Amino acid sequence: MNRIRNFCIIAHIDHGKSTLADRLLQATQTLNEREFQDQVLDNMDLEREKGITIKSHAIQMEYFKDGEKYILNLIDTPGHVDFSYEVSRAIASCEGALLVVDATQGIQAQTISNLYLALEHDLEIIPVLNKIDMDSAMVEEVKDQITDLLGCKPDEIIPASAKTGAGVDEILKTIVEKIPSPKGDENAPLQALIFDSVFNSFRGIIAYFKIINGTIRKGDKVKFFATNREYEADEIGTLKLNMLPKQEIKAGDVGYIISGIKTASEVKVGDTVTHVANPCEKAISGFEDVKPMVFAGIYPTSADEYENLRASLEKLQLNDASLTFEPESSLALGFGFRCGFLGLLHMEIVQERLYREFDMDVITTVPNVSFNVYTTKNEKTVVHNPSGLPSPTLIDRVEEPYIIAQVITKTEYLGVVMKLCLDKRGTLKNQHFLTTDRVEITYDMPLSEIVFDFYDKLKSISRGYASFDYTMGDYRPADLVKLDILLNGEPVDALSSLIHKDHSYDFGRKMCEKLRELIPRQQFEIKIQAAIGAKIIARETVKALRKDVLAKCYGGDISRKRKLLEKQKKGKKRMRQVGNVEVPQEAFLAVLKMND
């Protein structure tokens, strides 16, 4: 165990974590030239296309120092705020972390929040200054920022370039010297923490774990604490680029177990694995349950696909434990699922993965957050969906979730960033200058205001320089109304939303205008209305497609023409009563991009 080092790489998005991981794998000769490709640990097509890490990936390396062999278990983590749950799981499985900071951009919001996560778990932090070979690198300035943040000495910061490979040997040497080896007892009863799992259609569910105490051998009878089910360890092993079967794995190591489990609900991330014959006394306190921030309904495009969608979501949840879902039904869309996500990017990724990995075409409703509704009888209900709201006469008050938002930006953009936060009903809590030209501002803001387009707007007004991170706050009373969209007098519950009273008129008008562009013209007139309760606040009309019934009238009396037009008008009226309005999928998605 003295020769094992478990560490992760934490950083803000796009600061070069995946590239640094590539260089570490090359330096330890874990991969040969044929296996190597850029971002080798990002094995999802989506990760490569978007240039971001979505999943934590574990891989084992061998490193020789002073003639002795060391086992290094690296877990590469995502940098985007929506995937911070992946980061917390990686941190729980490690004893040390490389904190990577981009020399051209300096410290960003996600760097700080990931650092605090690591410090809470008492991890040994090794600061790495990346991209020093770039012309725009501000090496001395960013070094000062890191020393202020960590309280370390400037010479403890390792200058490196993941692109050229400079500083990689120094990083490997420091990992072995500074990061402590895992503490555990090989002879104690088995205690292993599951930190990830994947579904394989041939072999069932593969669980990845870190052994805290004890030893596991191939063929052992094991049980999972949370479900209390017993299995046989058909295959165990460690994780190189592919899985490497072993006969036994001991305390301190990271590995995988295959035991022929076919049902997704039987494996839970954060669960403890132990022996049936000699179980450990208590489960490992894993990571806290994830709290979804954004809710949206996901419905299959055809009703027959409902069961397939359930199976797909269960398999996806194995690989992405931060996804939560429960069944729900809607008048317009039939049966589907109410899903909880950590943010809008997370929602987009889940939708895309359902399509790519499981070939599921889905309709997603307007994302919203959960509200606490107190009735006049002082009963509390949690409402995720506008359709679940009690009638206005029964509501005493509605409370909405607030967040503590932390924005780091250049001082020249401070004014526009503050205006954006105020427009989103934020209240300033704190303003702190990190350096002469970088400022950190903290706001109290309603979560519902940042769900839509806050992050995109922040990036565009600051030309990409502002970084944003948030933590959950408390629930506070809010003046919210339910905005319904009516098509020919019929409400479309998939398009209804809970919104602050001040923004409702503006939002309703924009919704109607957008829908007028997107709904195709029919043989009858379609009226699109936005309503709060019984009050109509906006209206647009999609004109009917009309046949020219006057084409055959050459001259003659006006009453002949009027008769034909009246006849046409009656037909249109009758058609409007029986005709259905087809709402295209783009209309549901357009609501997400309301302010484009």
Side-chain angles (χ1 to χ4, degrees), residues 231-261:
Y231 306 100
E232 191 171 308
D234 296 339
E235 185 183 307
I236 58 167
T238 52
L239 299 154
K240 285 285 176 70
L241 192 56
N242 299 314
M243 294 183 291
L244 195 69
K246 293 266 179 84
Q247 285 304 312
E248 70 169 18
I249 311 177
K250 297 183 175 180
D253 223 335
V254 174
Y256 69 91
I257 178 170
I258 301 175
S259 39
I261 307 169

Side-chain angles (χ1 to χ4, degrees), residues 157-424:
I157 301 165
I158 304 172
S161 165
K163 193 167 158 192
T164 61
V168 170
D169 291 335
E170 177 70 14
I171 291 170
L172 285 165
K173 209 167 85 190
T174 314
I175 288 168
V176 171
E177 288 168 2
K178 281 200 169 179
I179 293 178
S181 56
K183 294 172 179 60
D185 182 358
E186 291 176 9
N187 303 315
L190 176 67
Q191 234 185 351
L193 175 75
I194 296 179
F195 65 85
D196 204 356
S197 53
V198 291
F199 184 82
N200 183 308
S201 44
F202 301 107
R203 313 204 60 182
I205 291 161
I206 304 169
Y208 299 148
F209 58 75
K210 180 196 175 187
I211 302 183
I212 311 291
N213 288 312
T215 305
I216 185 169
R217 293 176 184 83
K218 186 179 174 181
D220 280 357
K221 283 264 194 297
V222 295
K223 74 169 182 181
F224 289 16
F225 248 86
T227 53
N228 215 10
R229 296 196 172 228
E230 298 179 5
Y231 306 100
E232 191 171 308
D234 296 339
E235 185 183 307
I236 58 167
T238 52
L239 299 154
K240 285 285 176 70
L241 192 56
N242 299 314
M243 294 183 291
L244 195 69
K246 293 266 179 84
Q247 285 304 312
E248 70 169 18
I249 311 177
K250 297 183 175 180
D253 223 335
V254 174
Y256 69 91
I257 178 170
I258 301 175
S259 39
I261 307 169
K262 288 283 188 280
T263 318
S265 56
E266 290 177 25
V267 177
K268 288 190 167 47
V269 166
D271 197 0
T272 304
V273 183
T274 188
H275 280 130
V276 174
N278 181 19
C280 56
E281 289 173 16
K282 61 180 197 299
I284 305 159
S285 56
F287 2 87
E288 70 286 352
D289 269 348
V290 59
K291 295 184 195 73
M293 305 285 180
V294 174
F295 293 89
I298 286 188
Y299 293 86
T301 42
S302 75
D304 315 343
E305 293 283 295
Y306 176 72
E307 281 305 323
N308 290 353
L309 180 60
R310 180 198 290 276
S312 304
L313 282 168
E314 280 180 357
K315 286 172 188 169
L316 192 57
Q317 194 180 33
L318 271 178
N319 198 242
D320 181 357
S322 49
L323 169 68
T324 58
F325 64 92
E326 57 189 48
E328 72 163 3
S329 63
S330 133
L331 287 171
L333 301 168
F335 290 101
F337 294 92
R338 171 118 207 118
C339 299
F341 308 97
L342 296 183
L344 274 189
L345 177 69
H346 186 211
M347 176 174 135
E348 194 185 311
I349 296 290
V350 166
Q351 208 176 332
E352 191 67 28
R353 285 183 73 182
L354 279 171
Y355 177 66
R356 290 191 187 198
E357 294 173 29
F358 304 100
D359 204 23
M360 293 298 310
D361 260 339
V362 293
I363 292 172
T364 313
T365 62
V366 185
N368 49 36
V369 299
S370 55
F371 300 93
N372 289 341
V373 179
Y374 291 87
T375 62
T376 44
K377 295 177 182 172
N378 213 14
E379 293 167 348
K380 174 185 162 185
T381 52
V382 178
V383 174
H384 301 308
N385 200 335
S387 58
L389 206 64
S391 107
T393 51
L394 300 174
I395 297 174
D396 177 40
R397 67 185 189 280
V398 180
E399 290 184 348
E400 64 175 340
Y402 267 68
I403 57 161
I404 298 153
Q406 182 189 39
V407 179
I408 296 178
T409 182
K410 288 197 159 187
T411 41
E412 61 196 272
Y413 304 116
L414 182 59
V416 282
V417 170
M418 286 176 101
K419 183 181 181 305
L420 173 67
C421 293
L422 289 170
D423 289 347
K424 297 286 186 186

